[in-house]
């Protein structure tokens, strides 16, 4: 079928055939991911979605892709905590509200797949620290060396000079600001935040999401952010939509951020407006503090309409569907 005929069919409401649809009102299948590093992640997820695969497999594949790379912020190549140890947080959720999570996981390369195993093989939702590692090893995930990546070693050494724990806005963009998607942003130094969150809607119309991160760089050992917490860093309700977050996890946890976004969508708000209302909730609690914080929410509804909103300028996200493959800048609430 050529694109013209296909569009004609879609506009006539035939999008429920097992074919990609891209009407203006929404797209299916589709995958969206936080940050411009989401482009590579989306490409991995797309291979599964385009072959009529399940959104759960797609989001896991996307997360695996970034866990494989040396990146400031995800996987074992990520920046360590203040004791020099890389600890990983991840979670995954499917269309049946099945979910699994790990937090504070050390020396395991693929926390997203451990989270999926927790979901599928245990009656629990979240495992942490040594218990999570023990479970991972028992389930065939090899324990790897705890050596920091060269980039993380350099960043940690630099951080040790002052040893200040101070979240810095939009570190992802600082790292990538020579790239093609480089928006202009805060450029004030050391590393602090990160995180890959991705959401997919498959051809069958089912939603899933995954989040993986090494969390805030130089955090207190044992600190868990929003990224492994269902309802904070990720929430999926297959009747309504799905949402994920990036930024200062404490602020997201405080308002049960992604659960809130999905509930706003349930009330009829568009994904973008739902994200905006959740951002407003954070800012309203302490407008002064919010000036130096970054949080971004990214959401998609059941029709494949997506949207995002952040506190500050600088949050970007990647979209891949049959219709588009690009990075978008999020709208934002306050100008510092
Ligand atoms: C955390 N939310 O550990 C993560 C960090 C992050 O962009 O998303 N940074 O709090």
């Amino acid at each position: 079928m050529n694109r013209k005929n296909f569009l004609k069919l879609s506009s006539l409401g035939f999008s429920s055939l097992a074919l990609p649809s891209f009407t203006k009102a929404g797209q299916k299948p589709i995958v969206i991911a936080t940050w411009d590093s989401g482009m590579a992640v989306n490409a991995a997820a797309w291979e599964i979605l385009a072959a009529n695969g399940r959104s759960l497999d797609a989001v896991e594949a996307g997360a695996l892709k970034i866990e494989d790379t040396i990146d400031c912020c995800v996987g074992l190549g990520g920046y360590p905590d203040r004791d020099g140890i890389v600890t990983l947080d991840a979670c995954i959720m499917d269309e049946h509200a099945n979910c699994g999570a790990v937090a504070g996981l050390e020396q395991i390369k693929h926390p997203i797949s451990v989270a999926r195993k927790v979901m599928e093989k245990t009656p629990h939702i979240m495992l942490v620290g040594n218990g999570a590692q023990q479970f991972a090893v028992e389930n065939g995930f090899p324990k790897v060396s705890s050596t920091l990546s060269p980039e993380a070693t350099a960043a940690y050494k630099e951080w040790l000079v002052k040893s200040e724990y101070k979240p810095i806005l939009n570190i992802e963009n600082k790292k990538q600001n020579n790239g093609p998607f480089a928006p202009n942003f805060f450029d004030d130094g050391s590393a602090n935040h990160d995180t890959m969150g991705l959401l997919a809607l498959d051809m069958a119309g089912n939603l899933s999401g995954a989040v993986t991160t090494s969390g805030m760089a130089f955090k207190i050992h044992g600190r868990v952010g929003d990224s492994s917490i269902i309802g904070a860093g990720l929430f999926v309700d297959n009747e309504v939509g799905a949402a994920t977050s990036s930024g200062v996890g404490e602020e997201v946890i405080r308002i049960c951020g992604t659960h809130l976004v999905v509930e706003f969508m349930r009330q009829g708000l568009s994904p973008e407006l739902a994200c905006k209302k959740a951002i407003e909730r954070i800012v309203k609690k302490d407008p002064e503090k919010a000036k130096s914080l970054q949080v971004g929410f990214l959401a998609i509804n059941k029709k494949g309409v997506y949207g995002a909103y952040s506190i500050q300028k600088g949050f970007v996200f990647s979209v891949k569907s049959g219709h588009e493959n690009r990075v978008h800048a999020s709208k934002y609430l306050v100008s510092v």
Side-chain angles (χ1 to χ4, degrees):
M1 185 183 318
N2 66 30
R3 182 182 154 88
K4 201 170 145 209
N5 287 340
F6 181 66
L7 276 172
K8 222 159 131 195
L9 268 186
S10 297
S11 68
L12 290 172
F14 285 89
S15 56
S16 57
L17 298 172
L19 290 167
S21 67
F22 36 89
T23 62
K24 213 173 166 207
Q27 307 176 49
K28 192 176 76 168
I30 182 170
V31 55
I32 61 177
T34 51
W35 305 110
D36 49 0
S37 47
M39 290 291 281
V41 162
N42 285 349
W46 183 253
E47 284 185 27
I48 291 170
L49 292 174
N52 202 5
R54 195 176 164 206
S55 57
L56 182 71
D57 296 324
V59 293
E60 184 186 16
L64 285 170
K65 175 82 184 170
I66 193 143
E67 287 172 355
D68 266 336
T69 59
I70 302 272
D71 184 271
C72 69
C73 317
V74 177
L76 291 173
Y79 290 178
D81 63 23
R82 69 180 191 183
D83 294 346
I85 303 165
V86 177
T87 64
L88 305 176
D89 298 341
C91 71
I92 193 161
M93 188 164 189
D94 76 5
E95 73 271 25
H96 306 296
N98 295 316
C99 43
V102 290
L105 181 61
E106 294 175 30
Q107 293 178 264
I108 301 289
K109 194 169 179 194
H110 287 304
I112 197 65
S113 297
V114 184
R116 185 167 175 174
K117 275 271 187 295
V118 173
M119 171 175 108
E120 290 177 341
K121 292 260 160 80
T122 81
H124 308 306
I125 288 177
M126 182 182 245
L127 297 179
V128 305
N130 290 342
Q133 190 190 62
Q134 187 185 330
F135 172 81
V137 171
E138 282 167 9
N139 281 276
F141 295 88
K143 200 167 150 185
V144 301
S145 117
S146 57
T147 324
L148 294 184
S149 68
E151 193 196 314
T153 305
Y156 183 52
K157 276 191 188 144
E158 196 184 319
W159 178 80
L160 280 173
V161 176
K162 286 195 192 160
S163 302
E164 270 177 354
Y165 179 65
K166 190 167 162 252
I168 304 294
L169 293 167
N170 295 321
I171 186 61
E172 299 80 354
N173 289 308
K174 176 179 184 290
K175 274 177 61 66
Q176 294 165 13
N177 65 7
N178 296 320
F181 308 115
N184 29 346
F185 304 111
F186 311 92
D187 194 19
D188 52 359
S190 57
N192 256 301
H193 53 113
D194 55 85
T195 296
M196 178 51 57
L198 65 157
L199 308 170
L201 177 67
D202 60 28
M203 276 197 218
N206 289 321
L207 289 158
S208 298
V211 182
T212 184
T213 188
S214 51
M216 286 283 179
F218 319 127
K219 60 197 174 187
I220 293 174
H221 185 66
R223 177 262 187 192
V224 174
D226 56 328
S227 304
S228 58
I229 299 179
I230 299 296
L234 175 68
F235 196 66
V236 177
D237 184 322
N238 205 43
E239 283 182 9
V240 176
T244 187
S245 61
S246 191
V248 181
E250 283 72 6
E251 303 310 316
V252 178
I253 294 171
R254 227 184 281 291
I255 64 155
C256 297
T258 55
H259 182 261
L260 185 62
V261 171
V262 171
E263 290 309 300
F264 282 142
M265 289 195 284
R266 192 191 307 278
Q267 290 166 16
L269 297 191
S270 69
E272 183 181 297
L273 211 49
C275 291
K276 183 178 185 210
K277 294 258 287 181
I279 289 294
E280 284 171 348
R281 180 80 59 95
I282 293 174
V283 172
K284 195 173 159 204
K285 293 205 180 299
D286 191 339
E288 205 39 49
K289 184 169 124 194
K291 287 184 184 166
S292 58
L293 288 177
Q294 178 64 306
V295 170
F297 288 113
L298 176 63
I300 187 166
N301 69 17
K302 190 69 184 158
K303 293 179 186 154
V305 177
Y306 59 80
Y309 224 90
S310 55
I311 300 181
Q312 319 281 345
K313 188 175 182 181
F315 180 48
V316 298
F317 62 98
S318 305
V319 176
K320 170 76 186 146
S321 69
H323 180 52
E324 61 175 326
N325 185 24
R326 57 172 292 210
V327 175
H328 293 265
S330 166
K331 292 189 185 162
Y332 54 95
L333 202 61
V334 295
S335 297
V336 181

